[in-house]
Amino acid sequence: MNIQYKKGVLELCVLSLLKKHDCYGYEISEYLSNHIDIADGTVYPILRKLRSEGLLTTYMQEESGGPPRKYYTLTKLGREVYEKERAEYLDFAKRVEILLEDDDNDKK
Amino acid sequence: MTKSEFLLKLADELKKNNIADADDIISEYEQHFAFKMADGFTEEEIAAKLGNPEYLASQFENTCEDKKSGGKKAASVIGLCIIDIFAGTFFLLLMAWELIMAAFSICSLVVAVCLLGRINPRSLIPPMPYLPGVVFGLSLAALSILSVTGCIYFAAFMRQLMRSYSRFHQNTIAAASGGAVLPSIGIYPRLPAIINRRIRTVAMFSLVLFTTCFVLGMALSMIISGSLEFWHAWGWFGYNSVN
């Protein structure tokens, strides 16, 4: 699938994961590449963009037996944006699905 | 591609694209390598899965666009300079207050020690019997601790205020010259929860101790001197008990 096409949706997926719980970068990268076929490295530019837009913030947390990890967490703005975009995306996807399935029926 | 080759190439490309905070980005990828290697992958495998560093670097938003207009930037800088003068004096004022609080804590502590230890250098402390002296001493010691916790919290607040201001400063310049704008920082300090809790406990405890001992000291003094205005009875502040 076209990568530009995926990028906007990936942002939504990152927000959705972070809404469940705070994560460190690697955790997010693993989660996304397990579900969606993308290069592991692509998630870091997305995290950075979301942070510069003020949807995420980071904090450091000590881990037992390792260097401190940088955790990402949703800001209040991030939560609001996520809820809004989630609803918009689901609505959009539903409409697209109707159109595409319609196309399927025509062929038959 | 090995880990160091990948990171070098990435750093190189980020620099070429004029991305701010390249070190921060590199350290994220470094951590990615660390995690994956702990899972038993080789450096080459990890680098291949990460993707092409040139492509990745291009994905970081190039927020440092060409300067929009020199005039706008100059105006922002002049404006900032004027604000800086006010903010600077304001910060000096805050620091002076911090110093005053610190001096107050030390003074309270010294007087408390003198009262408790029956030391009265050059008769600077008004004379009083030892019993109310001890109670007043305790109350002053508590006041000193209260003031120290105030100092600590105020210092944290001041630090956060300055960080917040310097972020505003950076962002204004960045926005005027088309650079990357970072999220602003709140002005209230975020101390770790446990420290916050401890400061609060100590402050509450010392406040209660101060108030109780102060009231108790006053009451004791009144009873012992047999006068509501015990400072007259003991000849404080130049009053003479005979008059």
Side-chain angles (χ1 to χ4, degrees):
Chain A
M1 206 195 269
N2 183 338
I3 179 70
Q4 292 305 328
Y5 193 75
K6 278 183 199 165
K7 250 174 74 183
V9 186
L10 284 178
E11 287 178 19
L12 201 54
C13 297
V14 170
L15 294 179
S16 124
L17 173 62
L18 287 176
K19 200 203 163 202
K20 287 179 214 144
H21 56 90
D22 297 355
C23 295
Y24 49 96
Y26 176 70
E27 217 177 344
I28 303 170
S29 150
E30 279 297 274
Y31 172 83
L32 282 188
S33 53
N34 279 342
H35 287 84
I36 302 173
D37 177 34
I38 46 157
D40 286 355
T42 359
V43 71
Y44 298 109
I46 293 172
L47 286 173
R48 200 177 156 77
K49 173 170 179 277
L50 293 174
R51 193 170 73 161
S52 76
E53 287 171 353
L55 306 187
L56 310 179
T57 53
T58 56
Y59 61 92
M60 302 301 279
Q61 188 159 301
E62 299 285 339
E63 294 294 321
S64 53
R69 288 176 188 170
K70 186 159 85 180
Y71 274 82
Y72 290 86
T73 180
L74 277 189
T75 61
K76 194 165 164 262
L77 178 70
R79 246 164 241 282
E80 286 165 14
V81 169
Y82 168 67
E83 293 301 342
K84 185 169 150 281
E85 291 195 348
R86 176 177 182 269
E88 280 173 6
Y89 176 80
L90 289 178
D91 182 56
F92 175 74
K94 210 185 286 166
R95 283 161 201 274
V96 172
E97 203 179 322
I98 293 169
L99 288 179
L100 298 186
E101 276 174 358
D102 200 29
D103 178 49
D104 232 21
N105 291 337
D106 285 350
K107 277 180 196 161
K108 280 174 195 168
Chain B
M1 205 183 292
T2 65
K3 175 183 166 186
S4 57
E5 278 170 357
F6 179 93
L7 293 177
L8 264 176
K9 179 85 180 143
L10 183 65
D12 217 38
E13 292 292 330
L14 287 174
K15 206 175 162 193
K16 226 185 269 175
N17 294 354
N18 241 337
I19 309 286
D21 274 349
D23 292 344
D24 200 38
I25 298 173
I26 299 290
S27 79
E28 285 268 29
Y29 284 95
E30 240 171 347
Q31 282 205 357
H32 189 100
F33 270 100
F35 279 118
K36 277 277 185 192
M37 277 155 83
D39 282 346
F41 290 90
T42 67
E43 293 190 359
E44 279 78 7
E45 283 171 332
I46 302 166
K49 277 212 79 184
L50 273 172
N52 178 2
E54 204 170 327
Y55 168 74
L56 290 174
S58 75
Q59 291 304 297
F60 285 96
E61 300 248 313
N62 190 356
T63 30
C64 301
E65 292 156 23
D66 296 345
K67 284 173 190 166
K68 283 167 192 162
S69 69
K72 195 180 162 208
K73 193 184 174 189
S76 301
V77 169
I78 292 170
L80 271 182
C81 284
I82 295 170
I83 300 172
D84 279 349
I85 294 172
F86 285 103
T89 36
F90 182 63
F91 285 139
L92 274 181
L93 209 65
L94 291 182
M95 279 183 225
W97 175 241
E98 173 84 32
L99 280 182
I100 290 170
M101 285 213 305
F104 180 73
S105 320
I106 294 169
C107 290
S108 307
L109 189 66
V110 169
V111 176
V113 169
C114 287
L115 281 173
L116 290 172
R118 296 186 108 156
I119 313 163
N120 198 351
R122 297 174 169 228
S123 307
L124 281 173
I125 301 171
M128 64 182 95
Y130 188 53
L131 183 61
V134 167
V135 178
F136 277 130
L138 279 178
S139 128
L140 279 170
L143 185 62
S144 162
I145 294 170
L146 185 64
S147 167
V148 167
T149 56
C151 272
I152 294 172
Y153 189 81
F154 188 73
F157 172 69
M158 212 160 57
R159 179 171 162 267
Q160 185 72 11
L161 203 62
M162 287 183 183
R163 283 182 56 208
S164 170
Y165 181 75
S166 83
R167 175 58 61 84
F168 155 78
H169 206 277
Q170 280 172 10
N171 276 351
T172 313
I173 292 181
S177 55
V181 175
L182 302 166
S184 55
I185 301 178
I187 60 166
Y188 295 107
R190 281 196 188 165
L191 298 172
I194 182 151
I195 294 183
N196 235 339
R197 225 165 22 236
R198 276 185 193 154
I199 290 186
R200 201 159 45 223
T201 318
V202 170
M204 281 303 289
F205 180 73
S206 52
L207 180 64
V208 169
L209 188 65
F210 164 68
T211 328
T212 356
C213 286
F214 186 74
V215 172
L216 192 66
M218 296 288 270
L220 271 177
S221 304
M222 287 170 195
I223 294 166
I224 290 175
S225 66
S227 156
L228 274 182
E229 297 171 322
F230 58 86
W231 47 92
H232 287 216
W234 289 336
W236 289 9
F237 313 126
Y239 286 109
N240 197 328
S241 54
V242 179
N243 293 341

